[in-house]
Amino acid sequence: MRPKVIQLYKNLLYLGRDYPMGYEFFRERLKKAFLKNKDATDPEQIKQMIARGEFVIKEIEALYMLRKYRTLKKSIPLGTIRVP
């Protein structure tokens, strides 16, 4: 169980590099969230927290994709791309 938690933390830290409010903000919030739950011992509760963390990863990835899409959409003028 511990390796899964550590890997989740590392993955979230990696994703936090591009967080809109800054890496330091993201890192502090992430650290606080993990420290808050450090005394959890129930395996079922830990599995639920890991699942929630994986959901957060998916949400952050979706946020980044949406941001890239919006940037791309702004850079290409409407009507310049024609579909055959």
Side-chain angles (χ1 to χ4, degrees):
M1 199 66 66
R2 181 174 165 81
K4 285 184 179 181
V5 173
I6 292 171
Q7 188 61 43
L8 177 66
Y9 187 79
K10 286 180 179 180
N11 289 343
L12 284 165
L13 269 181
Y14 180 77
L15 286 174
R17 294 177 309 142
D18 297 327
Y19 196 70
M21 296 182 75
Y23 177 70
E24 288 301 316
F25 173 82
F26 185 86
R27 189 174 61 85
E28 289 300 320
R29 297 279 304 259
L30 180 65
K31 183 178 178 180
K32 197 180 304 182
F34 271 76
L35 286 177
K36 182 178 81 171
N37 296 311
K38 73 176 183 174
D39 296 325
T41 56
D42 180 29
E44 194 59 39
Q45 183 184 14
I46 294 172
K47 285 180 185 177
Q48 288 176 347
M49 288 187 276
I50 290 173
R52 183 171 183 200
E54 290 170 350
F55 173 77
V56 169
I57 287 175
K58 290 177 185 174
E59 289 294 312
I60 291 172
E61 288 173 342
L63 173 75
Y64 292 165
M65 285 184 196
L66 184 62
R67 186 175 67 181
K68 287 178 184 177
Y69 169 75
R70 286 180 177 163
T71 303
L72 182 63
K73 189 175 177 182
K74 286 180 185 177
S75 68
I76 300 174
L78 189 62
T80 57
I81 299 177
R82 296 185 184 182
V83 179

